Amino acid sequence: MLLQISEPGAKAPAAPKRVAVGIDLGTTHSLVATVRDQRPVVLEDAEGRVLLPSVVHYHADRQVEVGYEARAWQSEDPANTFVSVKRYMGRGRGDLPDHLDIPYRLADAPGMVQFETRAGTVSPVQVSAEILKALRERAVRSLGEEIGGAVITVPAYFDEAQRQATKDAAKLAGLEVLRLLNEPTAAAVAYGLDQGAEGIYAVYDLGGGTFDISILKLTRGVFEVLATNGDPLLGGDDFDRAVYDWLLRETGLATPTPGDARRLLGAARSAKELLSERTEAPISVVLSDGTRVERTLSRWVFDTLTESLVKKTLSPVRKALRDAGLAIGDVKGVVLVGGATRMPCIRQAVAEFFQQPPLTDLDPDQVVAIGAALQANALVGNRGGDDWLLLDVIPLSLGIETLGGLAEKIIPRNSTLPVARAQEFTTWKDGQTAMSIHVVQGERELVSECRSLARFELRGIPPMVAGAARVRVTFQVDADGLLSVSAAEQTSGVEAKIEVKPSYGLKDEDITRMLEDSFRHAQDDIEARRLREQKVEGLRLLEATEAALAEDRALLSEDEAARIYQGMAQLRQTLDGSDWEAIKAAVEALNQASTEFAARRMDHSIRRALAGQKLEQLQV
Ligand code: ADP
Ligand code: MG
């Protein structure tokens, strides 16, 4: 094929364009955005609203309503009105947070939760598909053409099952998913942070019912998620609650009717939102018995009422920083996401915590959708230049086989590409000069249950005592998902290397099956792992004791030696069995029996080393 070259100075002919959209499929609200004339725009519904409440209501005749119309049914018909369905995506019954109170009838089915509605059984994927369909229709209407593809955002902590569920929902809604994008990354892209050089960014996302903090690291145009944390049951709704409780206390209303409770809660939310602009908010509610509740809520009182909620967001922030191994001063910028970050008390707390004002130029409701739209636009090739991000994640963990047939994970699944991680390993036997490296992929603890990707050997390690060699194994996955593994012995510099294509041939069904397996067998795996670890520990101790006896048997009395031999025999016996606790006990017993021996050997070798040395030489 010949490459085309345009005349110098002439503009290249515009490629036929496809319209791509970015979708923020949120827990409380969803949005769709696109790029028009190089600028991101958030698309409106027929009434000029950009937010679509993520609420779906099912009628008996299978008619479905989405958004504001659906939300109107929430208190009247909660069992058929789905709010916050995102919490259930890709989740089984056992995965749901403990304190989640569920107004729905859950169907008795294995796998992902299913809801019984009056229109039949529906899955979270189907409910989400209704929201996506509504957004797709909105986009088609306002753009006047079919959508070429969509980037849909997901929380950074979403696992493969949750991501897959999101993709399936898009498929059901007739959308081609160009890519799933992490929400905090989308927010960072919206602020153009990917255009910067390098740095650490924190994304603080307080939505309606969830709080997420993500620590991102930008290097050469690629964001890596260093840590995520949050509180799945903390959001703007809790601030509404605090105002509502205050209203009840103020009015002495102990048990309002469901209708009054809804009105009071609605008024509480409006007052909260108004207080983001003003310092006082009037509240006026007419109750079902005709009485009128009139109060004024000041920002000062509101801040006092919600102080503990604001504080509650900061401990996940601390944890995330700690997990990422970073200090507050390492953070170059803070991005605010989520409608609830409009509250001045939040902005102030974030500014104080990070010792810098957060980025607030973009609308916190829209920032994720805008980033997704920019990414979608780039992916369909409407953006010039080649300096664009290539973000993808590893679907299953990558690691190597260690002693006892255990899989040691080196790159955890869902790591953003490209990624490199290294870990040090050592030799098992004295004088060992080669090491066999077996690269595996999967979530299971045992190598036999993972997928074998490649094997290679590191040879030429200088002979040393067991445990002295330091072999650094580095995993590197480039933006196209190509994995290379290298192993280098640190003291001698000998090196070996191999390239593998990690997910080659792994179909989506395989991934799902492997994940399901890993959930199902998690308990067995822990048992098996303990057993193998204890066996390795037991063998190691036997070997070391044998070596010590061979060298320094003379330091022991007959009695002492007999006790050690007995301990060894006992340990050997337990090693043939499969009771990890018995092995552990035998290891401890042998350790105890040989403590004195070890101490004597130490003394002996120190004396041997010191013999003939002058005192002053020792004092340096
Ligand atoms: P999600 O990401 O969960 O879909 P959103 O980002 O849409 O959530 O945030 C919804 C929350 O933001 C609600 O609790 C809403 O009351 C709150 N919110 C929206 N606007 C404001 C405002 N002006 N002041 C305070 N809170 C607001
Ligand atoms: Mg959100």
Side-chain angles (χ1 to χ4, degrees):
M1 190 188 125
L2 292 175
L3 297 173
Q4 297 172 324
I5 297 172
S6 63
E7 220 175 291
K11 269 194 178 166
K17 285 187 179 171
R18 284 206 293 157
V19 194
V21 296
I23 293 179
D24 173 4
L25 183 60
T27 310
T28 323
H29 294 118
S30 297
L31 296 83
V32 56
T34 191
V35 175
R36 216 186 259 154
D37 304 327
Q38 324 279 340
R39 299 179 62 147
V41 277
V42 180
L43 304 177
E44 300 174 342
D45 66 6
E47 272 87 90
R49 299 171 296 204
V50 297
L51 295 182
L52 177 73
S54 304
V55 184
V56 178
H57 176 240
Y58 288 86
H59 288 279
D61 57 0
R62 290 193 157 260
Q63 281 284 5
V64 178
E65 278 170 325
V66 180
Y68 291 97
E69 291 78 24
R71 200 164 73 180
W73 289 95
Q74 196 183 334
S75 52
E76 219 155 302
D77 186 15
N80 295 292
T81 310
F82 295 96
V83 297
S84 305
V85 75
K86 189 172 175 179
R87 296 187 192 280
Y88 304 92
M89 289 292 270
R91 306 279 77 182
R93 283 184 105 151
D95 304 322
L96 303 178
D98 285 346
H99 305 294
L100 200 59
D101 87 69
I102 297 172
Y104 316 118
R105 292 185 299 275
L106 297 185
D108 214 8
M112 205 190 306
V113 292
Q114 307 271 324
F115 310 112
E116 301 280 14
T117 73
R118 75 157 89 75
T121 308
V122 297
S123 72
V125 170
Q126 285 168 292
V127 178
S128 298
E130 295 296 341
I131 299 168
L132 290 171
K133 247 186 250 171
L135 293 173
R136 180 179 144 233
E137 281 160 18
R138 176 190 293 193
V140 170
R141 200 187 45 242
S142 84
L143 299 171
E145 57 183 303
E146 213 17 88
I147 307 304
V151 166
I152 301 178
T153 57
V154 290
Y157 58 78
F158 255 26
D159 64 20
E160 194 60 26
Q162 292 167 299
R163 285 168 199 262
Q164 192 57 51
T166 307
K167 275 192 187 169
D168 292 345
K171 220 183 285 166
L172 265 182
L175 284 167
E176 186 204 332
V177 181
L178 300 168
R179 187 161 293 176
L180 296 180
L181 182 63
N182 289 327
E183 287 163 14
T185 306
V189 168
Y191 272 103
L193 300 181
D194 53 301
Q195 305 302 308
E198 298 204 334
I200 305 284
Y201 295 94
V203 180
Y204 179 107
D205 180 350
L206 190 62
T210 52
F211 171 60
D212 299 319
I213 176 79
S214 313
I215 309 294
L216 305 181
K217 181 180 171 192
L218 170 69
T219 3
R220 281 173 275 110
V222 175
F223 287 103
E224 188 187 341
V225 181
L226 293 184
T228 65
N229 214 298
D231 187 335
L233 299 175
L234 175 65
D237 297 349
D238 297 291
F239 290 71
D240 304 349
R241 257 289 140 200
V243 174
Y244 169 85
D245 290 342
W246 172 79
L247 272 176
L248 291 192
R249 282 198 303 276
E250 282 281 306
T251 54
L253 212 65
T255 44
T257 65
D260 286 347
R262 179 161 37 100
R263 275 184 278 272
L264 290 166
L265 205 52
R269 175 190 277 222
S270 306
K272 170 194 79 174
E273 294 183 358
L274 196 60
L275 285 175
S276 295
E277 313 293 319
R278 304 205 211 152
T279 52
E280 279 193 343
I283 297 173
S284 171
V285 184
V286 180
L287 300 176
S288 47
D289 65 358
T291 55
R292 181 183 280 274
V293 172
E294 302 242 30
R295 289 288 182 283
T296 298
L297 179 61
S298 70
R299 187 184 282 169
W300 185 81
V301 171
F302 176 75
D303 287 352
T304 318
L305 293 173
T306 58
E307 200 185 342
S308 61
L309 293 172
V310 175
K311 275 210 185 107
K312 214 172 157 189
T313 68
L314 295 178
S315 87
V317 177
R318 269 184 219 105
K319 281 191 205 126
L321 280 172
R322 193 177 335 125
D323 289 350
L326 294 169
I328 288 168
D330 296 327
V331 176
K332 195 164 164 188
V334 186
V335 177
L336 291 187
V337 179
T341 60
R342 286 217 186 76
M343 291 186 284
C345 53
I346 292 289
R347 296 196 167 181
Q348 195 186 335
V350 170
E352 267 168 27
F353 182 89
F354 285 102
Q355 295 154 24
Q356 60 177 304
L359 297 165
T360 54
D361 297 343
L362 297 174
D363 185 326
D365 287 329
Q366 304 182 358
V367 55
V368 168
I370 287 172
L374 290 169
Q375 173 88 353
N377 190 52
L379 285 171
V380 293
N382 289 345
R383 203 185 109 130
D386 54 0
D387 58 336
W388 191 253
L389 313 160
L390 243 178
L391 299 159
D392 224 332
V393 296
I394 292 178
L396 292 166
S397 305
L398 293 164
I400 67 170
E401 173 170 355
T402 60
L403 225 52
L406 295 174
E408 177 72 25
K409 295 183 180 116
I410 294 184
I411 298 185
R413 80 197 169 89
N414 286 340
S415 298
T416 312
L417 301 186
V419 56
R421 292 274 166 86
Q423 198 163 317
E424 273 189 9
F425 295 89
T426 188
T427 45
W428 147 255
K429 277 200 189 301
D430 288 344
Q432 183 177 337
T433 58
M435 211 182 227
S436 159
I437 310 238
H438 182 196
V439 183
V440 296
Q441 184 170 33
E443 302 316 305
R444 302 289 301 275
E445 299 274 353
L446 303 183
V447 162
S448 53
E449 311 285 350
C450 291
R451 188 185 159 86
S452 168
L453 293 179
R455 285 175 195 274
F456 69 104
E457 284 192 346
L458 177 65
R459 303 196 154 275
I461 302 173
M464 286 178 246
V465 293
R470 283 170 43 232
V471 177
R472 193 171 169 79
V473 176
T474 307
F475 274 55
Q476 196 156 10
V477 186
D478 69 13
D480 295 321
L482 202 70
L483 166 72
S484 53
V485 181
S486 63
E489 204 286 310
Q490 300 295 91
T491 50
S492 60
V494 290
E495 223 181 276
K497 196 173 163 77
I498 195 165
E499 291 203 344
V500 235
K501 184 105 172 89
S503 52
Y504 180 70
L506 252 197
K507 293 198 288 293
D508 286 357
E509 301 95 84
D510 297 333
I511 293 176
T512 313
R513 185 183 41 71
M514 290 170 85
L515 281 170
E516 279 169 4
D517 277 359
S518 79
F519 293 141
R520 225 182 349 263
H521 295 291
Q523 195 52 41
D524 300 352
D525 279 1
I526 291 170
E527 287 293 310
R529 181 171 197 115
R530 282 198 183 123
L531 178 61
R532 291 193 187 214
E533 276 172 356
Q534 280 306 327
K535 282 198 173 174
V536 169
E537 182 58 25
L539 286 169
R540 198 195 53 73
L541 182 61
L542 275 182
E543 198 142 310
T545 315
E546 262 158 20
L549 284 170
E551 212 171 301
D552 287 324
R553 166 77 178 74
L555 298 175
L556 291 171
S557 71
E558 281 307 312
D559 250 20
E560 287 168 333
R563 259 195 300 141
I564 290 176
Y565 281 121
Q566 197 197 342
M568 289 169 71
Q570 207 154 18
L571 178 55
R572 266 194 210 100
Q573 205 182 341
T574 59
L575 284 175
D576 289 335
S578 54
D579 180 354
W580 69 269
E581 279 169 320
I583 303 175
K584 190 166 186 234
V587 164
E588 271 162 23
L590 178 57
N591 262 327
Q592 200 132 49
S594 48
T595 329
E596 176 58 25
F597 183 33
R600 236 175 270 163
R601 290 188 73 217
M602 180 80 85
D603 277 356
H604 190 69
S605 70
I606 290 174
R607 237 175 284 126
R608 210 160 28 196
L610 295 188
Q613 293 199 21
K614 288 205 191 101
L615 194 60
E616 51 271 29
Q617 280 178 302
L618 291 174
Q619 279 172 335
V620 269

